[in-house]
Amino acid sequence: MPSSMKASLKRITRALYRRRRALALLSTVLVSVAAYVAAYVVRFEMRWPAEYSLTFALSVGWLVAARIVVSSLFDLNAHQWRYTGLRDMVDIGAVTLISSAAFLLILFQLPLQRPVPRSVVLLEWVFASYLLGGLRLAYRLAFEWYRRRLGANGQPHPRRHVLIMGAGEAGSLVSREMIQHPELGLELVGFVDDDRTMVGTRLRGVPVLGAGDDIPALAEEHGVEELVLAMPSAPPEAVRRVVQICEAVDLDLRILPHEKGVYAGPVSLAQLRDVRIEDLLGREPIALELPELEEDLWDKPVLITGAAGSIGSELARQVALHRPSALVLFDQAETGLFYLDLELREAHQDLRVEPFVGDILDDGRLAEAMETYQPARVFHAAAYKHVPLMEANPSEAVRNNVIGTWKVAESAGRAGCGKFVLISTDKAVNPTSVMGATKRTAELVVLSCAERYPGTHYTAVRFGNVLGSQGSVLTVFRNQLESGKKLTVTHREATRFFMTIPEAVQLVLQASLLLEARSHIAML
């Protein structure tokens, strides 16, 4: 197509788009007249009844007027045709039904020589409903076809063939996004689902081609380059199986993760991500039910140090669920603290969130936080935890992990805090590193504070490798794999045990409920 013709078409299209409401109103008028004519023709056995010409001429204006008024009340002409859906069909049905009923009432008042047959009114309503709905659906189909085939510059989009595994609600939402956004270059060829009763059915017009075991054959037959796992609740063993299948046939794999909360809001293709190591956890994540935690935290001020960190931020999220009177977020990392504050305020609008920028080694800031908010619960998560870095900087490890813990524990005791929980590490058991030694010393500091401040219950909680936490060995492994390097492990037969961040925080909160003795160390 010549460039001048393309430019002319663009100008015409833009001019029509600016007048889309007027065009929609015009289509309503024309469809109503056409439906009224068709109703007479069908009613009188496919011929125009000449004896009803005057009746038609005197009544058609009232029909058009009724339809315009009712469509304006429903704001029908403001709907964007390119996104026509079920809601639009319902609105069209309501507009035509109400306007046809109004037209019928008007007819009773008109002095017509030949009254309009009621069957004509009924037929007109049916025809108008189908024509108005069909016109909008045809426009949407044409628009989507154009967008799939041609981009804004009139050139074909490069296409990447995709299979979706999971023909359920999540798969349906992902497929809708793919269909509505062809500019992303994703061509959905079909679904796969392990429920074989679904094979041969269609979802949003796209076929369910087979089950998970059929992926290699389907990938070869349809030239599939990518598989999307749209099963947020899939157990780890199912994810591992899909990973193995994709590796065998060299398919890229992206997943819709559970933590995104697919059903809590709109699904976006931006939520899809690559598989992470934590997705392959060799067991089901543990979810503890702690109803007594509500009573322990409800209407009490809670202070969390290191709140911007991976453990501290998840601890803040879970504490917020139990409605404390105030949640004080203490950290010197202002950026992380800023975004955590925004997140919590949006998720818990009635919660009093107090971001507090400060250093645990600053006696003045600690005293100010304790005196201002009088926390009943203190969770101390601020610490240096990178083992190699602490080997190179032992004085800073002692300063932050030991002296910092001592200052926070002392401040909590002086402020009359009810419970103090130290987040420790399994490396404090027979420590062989500077970091482990400083954390073990921090535990002893906490136990000593328990003797001097009997009104405060102190505890320390130890746990090992936490998936996704800052400084986790898995982050190191992932970077080594992405760089094509070998994994550095202490021994080829070494065994590591992992927990997720939510699991670790649940166990910390559980340990806080076990503070019956004056002090103890919990090993998790």
Side-chain angles (χ1 to χ4, degrees):
M1 184 183 294
S3 58
S4 59
M5 187 176 294
K6 287 182 180 178
S8 299
L9 285 175
K10 282 185 178 179
R11 285 195 298 270
I12 293 171
T13 302
R14 288 171 183 167
L16 292 175
Y17 184 76
R18 286 195 295 269
R19 296 167 176 81
R20 59 189 181 277
R21 284 199 179 210
L23 290 173
L25 179 61
L26 178 60
S27 71
T28 302
V29 171
L30 295 177
V31 163
S32 298
V33 174
Y36 197 33
V37 171
Y40 274 99
V41 171
V42 172
R43 167 64 178 79
F44 292 96
E45 300 178 352
M46 307 309 294
R47 68 176 181 85
W48 175 256
E51 64 273 19
Y52 276 90
S53 296
L54 182 59
T55 297
F56 176 86
L58 294 174
S59 60
V60 67
W62 291 103
L63 171 63
V64 170
R67 191 125 309 147
I68 290 174
V69 170
V70 177
S71 63
S72 299
L73 292 175
F74 278 76
D75 210 12
L76 186 65
N77 299 317
H79 294 199
Q80 294 195 38
W81 289 19
R82 67 180 67 178
Y83 303 119
T84 297
L86 182 61
R87 177 68 191 197
D88 298 274
M89 296 296 103
V90 171
D91 285 349
I92 289 170
V95 166
T96 54
L97 178 62
I98 295 171
S99 57
S100 293
F103 177 55
L104 184 60
L105 293 176
I106 292 171
L107 290 177
F108 290 139
Q109 310 302 319
L110 293 179
L112 299 173
Q113 187 176 3
R114 287 183 177 271
V116 177
R118 279 176 285 185
S119 57
V120 168
V121 178
L122 177 62
L123 287 170
E124 188 281 331
W125 168 62
V126 173
F127 292 157
S129 299
Y130 276 98
L131 285 172
L132 286 172
L135 191 61
R136 284 161 168 76
L137 286 176
Y139 180 90
R140 174 178 172 175
L141 291 173
F143 178 80
E144 290 183 352
W145 178 87
Y146 179 83
R147 290 189 66 187
R148 281 197 299 270
R149 300 304 170 192
L150 299 174
N153 59 359
Q155 298 300 318
H157 283 296
R159 312 307 294 170
R160 182 175 173 83
H161 290 180
V162 179
L163 270 177
I164 294 180
M165 183 166 187
E169 180 68 19
S172 173
L173 294 173
V174 172
S175 68
R176 182 190 66 184
E177 288 292 299
M178 286 187 184
I179 293 169
Q180 290 183 349
H181 297 282
E183 69 276 6
L184 298 175
L186 300 176
E187 181 75 29
L188 179 58
V189 300
F191 292 88
V192 290
D193 198 291
D194 284 334
D195 182 359
R196 287 197 172 271
T197 61
M198 300 190 70
V199 177
T201 62
R202 285 180 173 265
L203 185 61
R204 294 188 181 274
V206 181
V208 181
L209 299 173
D213 295 336
D214 302 320
I215 290 175
L218 293 172
E220 182 177 357
E221 179 182 351
H222 297 278
V224 177
E225 301 167 79
E226 181 177 322
L227 178 73
V228 171
L229 180 59
M231 300 169 59
S233 58
E237 58 268 19
V239 179
R240 289 198 302 273
R241 171 174 159 259
V242 174
V243 169
Q244 291 169 355
I245 292 173
C246 290
E247 287 179 342
V249 294
D250 196 24
L251 274 184
D252 291 339
L253 173 64
R254 288 193 292 168
I255 69 172
L256 191 65
H258 177 71
E259 64 265 22
K260 289 293 184 181
V262 171
Y263 304 108
V267 170
S268 167
L269 292 177
Q271 293 175 272
L272 297 177
R273 61 165 172 76
D274 294 334
V275 178
R276 298 173 183 166
I277 297 177
E278 50 264 37
D279 296 319
L280 309 178
L281 184 66
R283 57 175 175 78
E284 289 294 324
I286 297 171
L288 298 177
E289 294 186 4
L290 303 172
E292 59 272 25
L293 196 60
E294 178 85 18
E295 182 180 349
D296 189 64
L297 296 176
W298 184 77
D299 204 31
K300 296 182 178 67
V302 176
L303 185 145
I304 301 172
T305 67
S310 50
I311 299 296
S313 59
E314 179 62 23
L315 190 55
R317 294 183 190 100
Q318 294 198 26
V319 168
L321 296 174
H322 299 286
R323 299 183 295 172
S325 61
L327 181 55
V328 185
L329 310 174
F330 193 106
D331 207 303
Q332 61 180 345
E334 62 163 347
T335 301
L337 200 60
F338 172 76
Y339 286 112
L340 178 62
D341 177 43
L342 284 181
E343 176 189 338
L344 292 175
R345 289 181 188 276
E346 182 177 351
H348 306 277
Q349 298 182 6
D350 295 332
L351 177 63
R352 180 187 174 193
V353 182
E354 299 288 349
F356 202 94
V357 179
D359 188 342
I360 59 174
L361 291 162
D362 187 336
D363 292 314
R365 288 297 280 170
L366 272 177
E368 182 182 350
M370 296 293 179
E371 291 170 6
T372 302
Y373 302 107
Q374 293 292 309
R377 306 286 183 266
V378 172
F379 295 92
H380 180 46
Y384 288 146
K385 58 182 180 180
H386 291 275
V387 174
L389 277 180
M390 295 307 99
E391 291 295 316
N393 301 273
S395 60
E396 285 302 307
V398 171
R399 184 170 175 269
N400 194 74
N401 293 358
V402 179
I403 299 176
T405 299
W406 170 62
K407 288 180 178 292
V408 177
E410 284 273 344
S411 297
R414 285 196 297 268
C417 173
K419 294 181 181 179
F420 178 95
V421 180
L422 166 68
I423 311 298
S424 189
T425 172
D426 60 348
K427 295 172 181 63
V429 182
N430 299 322
T432 58
S433 64
V434 170
M435 196 280 280
T438 58
K439 294 298 282 185
R440 176 57 182 154
T441 307
E443 293 175 354
L444 296 175
V445 166
V446 167
L447 295 178
S448 69
C449 285
E451 298 178 359
R452 285 180 287 117
Y453 300 101
T456 300
H457 296 301
Y458 289 86
T459 188
V461 182
R462 296 170 175 168
F463 44 74
N465 290 288
V466 180
L467 293 169
S469 67
Q470 299 171 15
S472 168
V473 68
L474 286 184
T475 305
V476 177
F477 287 169
R478 184 186 296 114
N479 292 337
Q480 290 173 335
L481 287 172
E482 290 174 351
S483 303
K485 300 176 181 178
K486 295 181 179 178
L487 298 184
T488 53
V489 295
T490 53
H491 191 278
R492 81 175 52 246
E493 296 182 4
T495 300
R496 291 181 181 268
F497 299 93
F498 296 97
M499 65 176 68
T500 64
I501 294 177
E503 285 178 329
V505 169
Q506 288 177 48
L507 293 172
V508 169
L509 294 173
Q510 184 184 40
S512 72
L513 296 174
L514 303 177
L515 282 170
E516 296 176 357
R518 289 200 317 178
S519 60
H520 72 278
I521 296 175
M523 186 69 182
L524 304 176

